[in-house]
């Protein structure tokens, strides 16, 4: 929260009410059969081998998945692959990278963000429909009902960032605007954050749809989970990885609006040095607020918190003001970690790869959930995976 200049009802930057997460919080393994419930297993159907799946977004029966190499978008209807958007390139009708994407049911469109453009395709035929410009440099996009949520820099603010030997420190904005409005100055700014935060500690992740409670994490040395139902942002949980105190000068650095070029270099160097003071979070994903349970995973500089078995991620589950953190999520009887990569409504989504005998962990009894998953994997053609949905308790 300290990293942000809010235009909402959130209070000014303070470090009270922050939960400091050190090694005493962290358990090596979380047994998913004990800490989660409402499991659903969906075989992903395809007539051919499926490419590796990265991030997933769901809108009812429509699910879009980005491939691991960020070259293609896979469309599934009721978990059946129905089309593949494969137009990577620099020519007409092509996108030159996939960082974020969204699905607009009303306009039957798939949007892929490329800088200040929404590269738009027919969601059924995948025919190129055009490039729609917006007046921000896009970082994230998300269709939310009759609105569209954007996160990025206003283009005019970026153009005016340099005034002779003075730098106007840009601020990224999260903007809620009518679905078809492309002049984002007409939208509602939910919050703004200094580019110093963005370059040092990641950005709010909007990579899934949760109709139960739109939510994200505002990053920084102190991280804040917020919801933004009805266009109003509400603070839910503040935490910091590690027990190191927040330097007093941190807030001062982030509130700088204009600065000389020489001082700007000094500020960026001090911001970079903050990451060497202890563990910090690079990115927060899969934020879910579900009937009082807050869950999410974080990507962090893991050498600072090596326990028995290093993991790139930490998984947080918080309920009734109590927080539990796990290095690995496991299902007894299966050998691989369960890594959520998206959400469907109020359910986390994880892809379970079809590894054959390598998927079985003989060192412990097989759980009924593992048996069900293995049974579905055996039915799959071309070693295709299954999708597991669940809710944290």
């Amino acid at each position: 929260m300290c990293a942000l200049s809010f235009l909402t009802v959130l209070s000014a930057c303070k470090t009270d009410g922050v939960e400091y997460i050190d090694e005493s919080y962290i358990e090596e393994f979380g047994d998913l059969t004990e800490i989660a419930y409402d499991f659903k297993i969906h075989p992903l159907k395809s007539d051919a081998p499926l490419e590796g799946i990265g991030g997933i977004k769901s809108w009812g029966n429509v699910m879009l998945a980005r491939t691991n190499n960020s070259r293609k978008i896979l469309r599934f209807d009721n978990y059946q692959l129905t089309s593949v958007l494969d137009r990577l390139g620099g020519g007409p009708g092509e996108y030159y990278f996939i960082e974020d994407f969204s699905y607009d049911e009303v306009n039957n469109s798939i949007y892929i963000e490329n800088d200040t453009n929404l590269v738009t395709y027919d969601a059924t035929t995948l025919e190129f429909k055009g490039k729609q410009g917006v007046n921000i440099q896009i970082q994230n996009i998300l269709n939310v009902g009759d609105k569209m949520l954007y996160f990025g820099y206003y283009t005019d603010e970026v153009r005016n960032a340099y005034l002779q030997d003075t730098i106007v420190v840009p601020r990224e904005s999260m903007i809620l605007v009518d679905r078809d409005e492309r002049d984002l100055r007409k939208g509602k700014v939910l919050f703004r954050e200094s580019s110093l935060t963005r370059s040092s500690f990641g950005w709010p992740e909007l990579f899934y749809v949760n109709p139960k409670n739109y939510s994200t994490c505002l990053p920084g040395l102190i991280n804040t989970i917020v919801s933004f139902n009805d266009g109003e942002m509400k603070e839910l949980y503040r935490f910091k990885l590690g027990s190191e105190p927040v330097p007093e000068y941190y807030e001062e650095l982030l509130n700088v609006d204009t600065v000389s070029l020489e001082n700007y270099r000094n500020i960026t160097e001090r911001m970079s040095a903050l990451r060497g003071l202890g563990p910090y979070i690079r990115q927060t994903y899969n934020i879910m607020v579900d009937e009082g349970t807050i869950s999410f995973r974080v990507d962090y500089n893991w050498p600072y918190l090596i326990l028995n078995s290093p993991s790139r991620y930490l998984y947080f589950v918080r309920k009734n003001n109590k927080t539990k953190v796990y290095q690995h999520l496991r299902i007894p009887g299966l050998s691989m970690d369960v890594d959520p990569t998206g959400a469907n409504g109020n359910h986390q989504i994880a892809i379970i790869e079809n590894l054959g005998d390598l998927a079985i962990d003989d060192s412990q009894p097989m759980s009924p959930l593992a048996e069900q998953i293995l049974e579905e994997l055996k039915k799959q053609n071309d070693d295709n995976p299954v999708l597991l949905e669940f809710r944290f308790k």
Side-chain angles (χ1 to χ4, degrees), residues 162-175:
Y162 294 91
L163 302 174
Q164 294 181 350
D165 63 345
T166 300
I167 293 177
V168 179
V169 179
R171 294 185 180 273
E172 269 191 295
S173 302
M174 183 179 288
I175 308 157

Side-chain angles (χ1 to χ4, degrees), residues 300-329:
Y300 69 108
N301 56 333
W302 58 266
Y304 279 95
L305 285 174
I306 291 179
L307 299 179
N308 294 326
S309 53
S311 171
R312 173 182 173 183
Y313 300 111
L314 293 176
Y315 299 90
F316 285 63
V317 181
R318 178 173 173 81
K319 187 173 185 179
N320 298 326
N321 296 321
K322 295 182 179 179
T323 305
K324 295 184 178 181
V325 184
Y326 307 95
Q327 282 186 286
H328 306 269
L329 299 179

Side-chain angles (χ1 to χ4, degrees), residues 357-368:
D357 292 341
L358 293 177
I360 299 173
D361 180 5
D362 292 324
S363 68
Q364 56 184 319
M366 180 80 64
S367 64

Side-chain angles (χ1 to χ4, degrees), residues 245-262:
V246 177
E248 293 182 0
Y249 61 82
Y250 177 56
E251 181 181 359
E252 180 182 346
L253 294 179
L254 296 173
N255 287 329
V256 169
D257 289 321
T258 60
V259 63
S260 69
L261 183 58
E262 181 180 355

Side-chain angles (χ1 to χ4, degrees), residues 161-194:
Y162 294 91
L163 302 174
Q164 294 181 350
D165 63 345
T166 300
I167 293 177
V168 179
V169 179
R171 294 185 180 273
E172 269 191 295
S173 302
M174 183 179 288
I175 308 157
L176 191 65
V177 67
D178 290 342
R179 179 194 297 110
D180 297 323
E181 180 60 65
R182 301 300 180 235
D183 180 2
L184 303 193
R185 288 288 185 182
K186 296 181 180 179
K188 180 175 183 178
V189 176
L190 299 182
F191 76 90
R192 282 162 64 81
E193 72 171 358
S194 169

